[in-house]
Amino acid sequence: MLRIAVPNKGSLSGPAADMLHEAGYQQRRESKELRIVDPVNEVEFFYLRPRDIAIYVASGRLDVGITGRDLLIDSGADAEEILPLGFARSTFRFAAKPGTATGTEDLKGRTVATSYEGIVAGHLADSGIDASVVHLDGAVETAIELGVAEVIADVVETGTSLRNAGLEVFGEPIMKSEAIVIRRSGAGTEDAKVQQFLRRLQGVLVARTYVMMDYDCRVEQLEKAVALTPGLESPTVSPLHNEGWVAVRAMVPAKEAQRIMDDLYAIGARAILTTAIHACRL
């Protein structure tokens, strides 16, 4: 069986379980379950602390895992990213009291507090900055007020919590993170079961990104219509009973669907419909 590590809690857990369910895999019914077997798909799932997943995968005890790019890098584990999953996106930034620093070069000789020591220490080393890093488990915003550090490095979404603490971000982002699938370094993805797992997840990503669009148009407007809906390979075009009309079907990006419908209507297309895609293989 393919052995897969899944986050057991936190911001990664729910979206990861939803994606796996959409990909056709059985998921746990109780949050206390630490292991389940999906015999139909020949997969065994292990629900682990997100921070530990990279360690387990790197050891070779588990074949693949879903975790955050930030957690992979911070762990220093011998594992690598093989597929980005597009959820749980975050940005890591430095922050300090206003006027304290404007860029990474201003961190020389200073102390930085963070929950992600591996990421920050690696970034400072790559930038040639000699600074001290203090590891804290959460609530790093208070580190400056309590005199533990002069700068913090943390996940920034809206920046509200930082502003409430009297801090502001500065410099370029340290890194951008999202949920990813990982594999032990050098293991590759040639294994048939791993390839099938990745294809299923890629199918979910495509299904979430595209919709199927159907419409009717006159033959003389077909080239203009196809230019608006080229599809992945090319659209499907079928003649209608009424002479001079054709039916067209193509996949289009979901975020552009409304604009495309407007443009199709403007050139004379009618009966324009969009439907969700629940699964696919490309």
Side-chain angles (χ1 to χ4, degrees), residues 14-66:
D18 290 343
M19 176 169 277
L20 290 169
H21 178 74
E22 289 180 50
Y25 294 106
Q26 178 183 332
Q27 288 298 285
R28 62 180 181 175
R29 297 181 180 180
E30 300 289 340
S31 60
K32 293 182 180 180
E33 291 182 276
L34 301 179
R35 169 185 170 274
I36 69 165
V37 175
D38 181 351
V40 174
N41 293 299
E42 298 185 334
V43 173
E44 190 173 8
F45 291 103
F46 294 83
Y47 297 87
L48 307 170
R49 291 180 67 249
R51 280 188 172 272
D52 296 337
I53 287 176
I55 304 297
Y56 281 105
V57 173
S59 73
R61 302 293 183 181
L62 300 178
D63 299 300
V64 294
I66 296 176

Side-chain angles (χ1 to χ4, degrees), residues 19-247:
M19 176 169 277
L20 290 169
H21 178 74
E22 289 180 50
Y25 294 106
Q26 178 183 332
Q27 288 298 285
R28 62 180 181 175
R29 297 181 180 180
E30 300 289 340
S31 60
K32 293 182 180 180
E33 291 182 276
L34 301 179
R35 169 185 170 274
I36 69 165
V37 175
D38 181 351
V40 174
N41 293 299
E42 298 185 334
V43 173
E44 190 173 8
F45 291 103
F46 294 83
Y47 297 87
L48 307 170
R49 291 180 67 249
R51 280 188 172 272
D52 296 337
I53 287 176
I55 304 297
Y56 281 105
V57 173
S59 73
R61 302 293 183 181
L62 300 178
D63 299 300
V64 294
I66 296 176
T67 187
R69 184 179 295 126
D70 53 344
L71 299 175
L72 169 62
I73 295 174
D74 194 61
S75 71
D78 191 22
E80 59 187 0
E81 174 180 339
I82 57 174
L83 179 68
L85 297 178
F87 64 85
R89 289 190 171 101
S90 59
T91 304
F92 283 76
R93 304 290 300 266
F94 288 115
K97 293 286 187 182
T100 300
T102 58
T104 309
E105 63 279 358
D106 295 326
L107 298 179
K108 291 181 180 178
R110 295 186 171 179
T111 302
V112 182
T114 184
S115 299
Y116 296 84
E117 184 178 359
I119 292 175
V120 176
H123 179 77
L124 293 172
D126 292 342
S127 302
I129 303 297
D130 184 14
S132 300
V133 179
V134 174
H135 178 82
L136 297 175
D137 284 324
V140 295
E141 295 92 342
T142 60
I144 295 176
E145 181 181 353
L146 296 177
V148 174
E150 300 153 281
V151 178
I152 67 168
D154 202 8
V155 175
V156 177
E157 294 181 3
T158 63
T160 300
S161 60
L162 292 177
R163 288 191 293 272
N164 290 341
L167 307 177
E168 65 178 11
V169 299
F170 65 87
E172 294 297 318
I174 301 169
M175 70 166 294
K176 292 184 181 293
S177 182
E178 65 180 291
I180 59 175
V181 178
I182 64 172
R183 183 108 157 104
R184 181 169 53 86
S185 295
T189 58
E190 292 78 15
D191 182 276
K193 291 181 179 179
V194 173
Q195 288 183 343
Q196 182 186 66
F197 177 68
L198 295 178
R199 278 197 302 271
R200 287 197 181 192
L201 294 186
Q202 287 167 335
V204 173
L205 291 172
V206 173
R208 289 178 172 184
T209 305
Y210 288 85
V211 294
M212 188 66 73
M213 185 170 289
D214 293 89
Y215 59 91
D216 300 338
C217 75
R218 295 197 62 82
V219 172
E220 56 266 27
Q221 298 299 328
L222 181 58
E223 290 305 316
K224 290 181 180 179
V226 168
L228 293 171
T229 59
L232 297 186
E233 303 295 339
S234 65
T236 300
V237 179
S238 305
L240 292 177
H241 178 71
N242 289 342
E243 188 175 350
W245 283 82
V246 292

Side-chain angles (χ1 to χ4, degrees), residues 206-211 251-260 274:
V206 173
R208 289 178 172 184
T209 305
Y210 288 85
V211 294
M251 289 172 62
V252 302
K255 64 181 180 181
E256 298 178 20
Q258 292 294 335
R259 177 189 60 78
I260 293 172
T274 61

